[in-house]
Amino acid sequence: MKLFGTDGIRGKANEFPITPEVALRAGKAVAQVLRSSGHNRNRVVIGKDTRISGYMLETALTAGLVSMGMDVLLPGPLPTPAIAHLTKSMGAAAGIMLTASHNPYEDNGLKIFGPDGYKLSDALEEIIERHILGDEPEPRPMSPEKIGKAYRIDDARGRYIEFAKHTADNISLHGLKIVVDCGHGAAYFIAPLIFKELGAEVIKHGCEPDGININDKCGALYPETAGGLVRQHGADLGISFDGDADRVIFTDATGTPVSGDRILALAALSLHEQGKLRGSRMACTVMSNLGLHEAMRRAGIEVLTTPVGDRNVIEALREKGGSFGGENSGHLIFADHATTGDGILSALQVLRVMKEKKATLAELAACMREFPQELVNLKVAAKPPLGELAGLQKLMREADAAFGDAGRQLIRYSGTENKIRILVEHRDAETVQEWIEKFTKAVKEDIGVAA
């Protein structure tokens, strides 16, 4: 598709496709494709993170929707999973989140949810894209009396706060000291409040958004920021969210970041012990460490491996009837509670395990060993099909033959940026470095690296 990537539409604000003109057409397209004759289904929830461009896009998107007879509910800045939850709980036809997740403030995007709270299928995204690009007939204008209305809703925060706490049975966090870094993003208000209401002592950081400081040396991309505050305040752990709070990264009591795979492992094992891991299976992406697979095999847990993207993990869980999965980047899906990755909900589930087992995060995270791994992101000027790059393909085959069961390589393009990602993993750290250098050289020769 020309507009939709692995996670909605994304790009630089005020440049195609993240323009008011495209947002207005997107509003009309969503109304056309997702309109329902069911009770109260002629409405759409629009959320946003804290980027300054959110005002521009929210206004244009609203105009497109109301011009097609849809009512729009505007809760203001809220995490992406909160919009997914509100879409379903308020009986809306769709939910739209304006965010570029972990990207800098210059970027923005649209994530669209259906009435069930799940991200749209590729087929629906393709239909919406055709309407946006004008490949489908223009809709007939609505008569004036059928134009929709836009409402600011004041109870959205409260609805999500109570839902999030309920997923962890309102467990008491009394006695825990937590650093909460919201990255100046969508969770800046509600995340600290939730942990505080449950009894934790909260040290806040990244909770003063100004429209341009989102993800700026804070949040999930910079867990060392929370780690420094953990050491400074003698906290039990740090919790860092990305810009739209659909993922979370933890730091232990020493201020050391805990890998997403270790969090996946401890959560899966805890659910398995409680008999809540449906089918004794969990799902992860191809980016997860081989050590996670090893730990799950020991526990008798089946691992479903999917392409990158939390939507792919969710689809695997829905298809196989699983209840838990995620990405090592910090997306965790507790499918019995949520329809998408939810950083706040995930943090509450991890805190719950700590309280119930009376264990530190480091103790729980020791449930698996990690194979040495390195991931390199290279900016590229173009994205020719990898299968057409003879030199790189030859090197990949050589690596597979040399690694056997002791390691792996994974090379792919980013779905949202002009980057190629090179992952090498092996029991031997020197082997990892050797092959990273070989692959980097091959990419530079076959594609060239952007300045």
Side-chain angles (χ1 to χ4, degrees):
M1 287 183 278
K2 297 176 182 177
L3 298 181
F4 284 90
T6 55
D7 200 7
I9 303 172
R10 192 175 295 184
K12 192 169 184 179
N14 237 9
E15 294 182 7
F16 183 86
I18 308 302
T19 64
E21 293 80 9
V22 172
L24 183 131
R25 294 187 65 86
K28 289 186 174 184
V30 167
Q32 285 177 276
V33 176
L34 297 179
R35 180 191 304 279
S36 170
S37 59
H39 178 63
N40 286 336
R41 287 301 175 92
N42 65 329
R43 56 189 183 187
V44 175
V45 180
I46 300 178
K48 61 182 179 180
D49 61 23
T50 56
R51 297 163 206 272
I52 193 168
S53 57
Y55 296 98
M56 170 185 78
L57 298 173
E58 180 186 59
T59 303
L61 193 58
T62 299
L65 287 161
V66 299
S67 75
M68 292 293 294
M70 304 293 279
D71 289 340
V72 175
L73 307 178
L74 301 167
L78 276 179
T80 289
I83 299 306
H85 171 71
L86 289 168
T87 300
K88 184 177 180 181
S89 71
M90 299 185 77
I96 304 174
M97 180 67 183
L98 298 170
T99 182
S101 189
H102 61 277
N103 287 21
Y105 86 93
E106 295 95 340
D107 295 344
N108 214 326
L110 288 79
K111 296 181 181 181
I112 306 175
F113 298 92
D116 57 2
Y118 287 98
K119 291 176 181 176
L120 301 184
S121 65
D122 288 342
L124 276 175
E125 286 185 344
E126 186 172 358
I127 295 171
I128 289 173
E129 180 172 294
R130 288 180 59 82
H131 281 281
I132 295 173
L133 295 177
D135 296 332
E136 296 291 334
E138 285 288 327
R140 183 176 300 173
M142 284 280 177
S143 57
E145 73 275 8
K146 292 183 179 179
I147 292 173
K149 299 177 181 178
Y151 304 88
R152 290 284 171 188
I153 51 176
D154 298 324
D155 66 340
R157 284 176 172 173
R159 282 173 176 253
Y160 176 74
I161 287 170
E162 291 308 311
F163 157 75
K165 292 192 298 184
H166 179 72
T167 65
D169 295 326
N170 289 279
I171 189 168
S172 171
L173 301 181
H174 183 74
L176 283 177
K177 183 187 289 189
I178 306 170
V179 171
V180 178
D181 182 356
C182 296
H184 299 301
Y188 78 95
F189 180 82
I190 64 172
L193 183 61
I194 288 172
F195 300 124
K196 187 175 181 180
E197 285 187 0
L198 290 173
E201 180 182 346
V202 176
I203 295 101
K204 297 192 298 183
H205 184 75
C207 296
E208 298 176 352
D210 62 10
I212 63 174
N213 60 359
I214 187 170
N215 300 318
D216 186 10
K217 296 181 176 57
C218 56
L221 289 186
Y222 300 90
E224 61 272 14
T225 299
L229 291 170
V230 166
R231 291 189 295 271
Q232 179 183 337
H233 293 275
D236 296 288
L237 75 161
I239 299 172
S240 302
F241 300 109
D242 66 339
D244 66 335
D246 66 347
R247 61 189 182 103
V248 59
I249 299 295
F250 297 86
T251 48
D252 65 22
T254 69
T256 304
V258 179
S259 76
D261 283 329
R262 289 187 181 274
I263 299 298
L264 285 170
L266 73 87
L269 292 172
S270 175
L271 290 170
H272 191 51
E273 290 172 6
Q274 299 171 52
K276 295 180 180 180
L277 192 68
R278 286 205 304 273
S280 294
R281 65 171 62 93
M282 62 89 67
C284 65
T285 75
V286 292
M287 299 298 287
S288 277
N289 193 280
L290 292 173
L292 174 62
H293 294 257
E294 183 180 69
M296 295 300 99
R297 278 197 301 272
R298 287 200 307 267
I301 297 172
E302 177 190 2
V303 178
L304 308 174
T305 304
T306 78
V308 172
D310 66 321
R311 187 174 69 172
N312 294 315
V313 174
I314 293 165
E315 287 176 357
L317 293 175
R318 295 179 77 183
E319 180 182 343
K320 298 292 186 179
S323 57
F324 176 70
E327 297 188 277
N328 65 341
S329 60
H331 285 117
L332 278 75
I333 294 97
F334 290 85
D336 285 340
H337 302 298
T339 57
T340 189
D342 189 326
I344 294 174
L345 187 156
S346 299
L348 290 174
Q349 299 301 320
V350 170
L351 290 167
R352 179 179 186 172
V353 176
M354 290 175 61
K355 291 289 285 187
E356 290 177 346
K357 290 184 173 292
K358 296 181 174 59
T360 67
L361 182 59
E363 289 169 344
L364 293 171
C367 62
M368 65 166 274
R369 64 166 181 167
E370 291 178 271
F371 285 28
Q373 180 189 86
E374 186 168 347
L375 173 65
V376 172
N377 294 300
L378 300 175
K379 287 186 178 182
V380 291
K383 293 182 179 180
L386 292 180
E388 297 178 2
L389 304 177
L392 185 60
Q393 289 296 319
K394 180 175 181 289
L395 195 61
M396 290 165 69
R397 290 192 295 271
E398 290 177 5
D400 291 340
F403 290 173
D405 294 331
R408 64 180 182 129
Q409 54 81 19
L410 180 65
I411 300 176
R412 67 179 186 90
Y413 291 117
S414 166
T416 59
E417 301 172 273
N418 286 329
K419 290 181 179 180
I420 189 169
R421 308 196 194 284
I422 303 171
L423 172 73
V424 178
E425 185 175 296
H426 198 278
R427 292 181 184 274
D428 176 58
E430 291 184 3
T431 301
V432 170
Q433 191 58 44
E434 174 190 342
W435 281 94
I436 280 287
E437 292 173 2
K438 288 182 178 181
F439 283 126
T440 299
K441 181 180 178 182
V443 166
K444 289 179 179 178
E445 291 175 350
D446 282 0
I447 308 176
V449 177

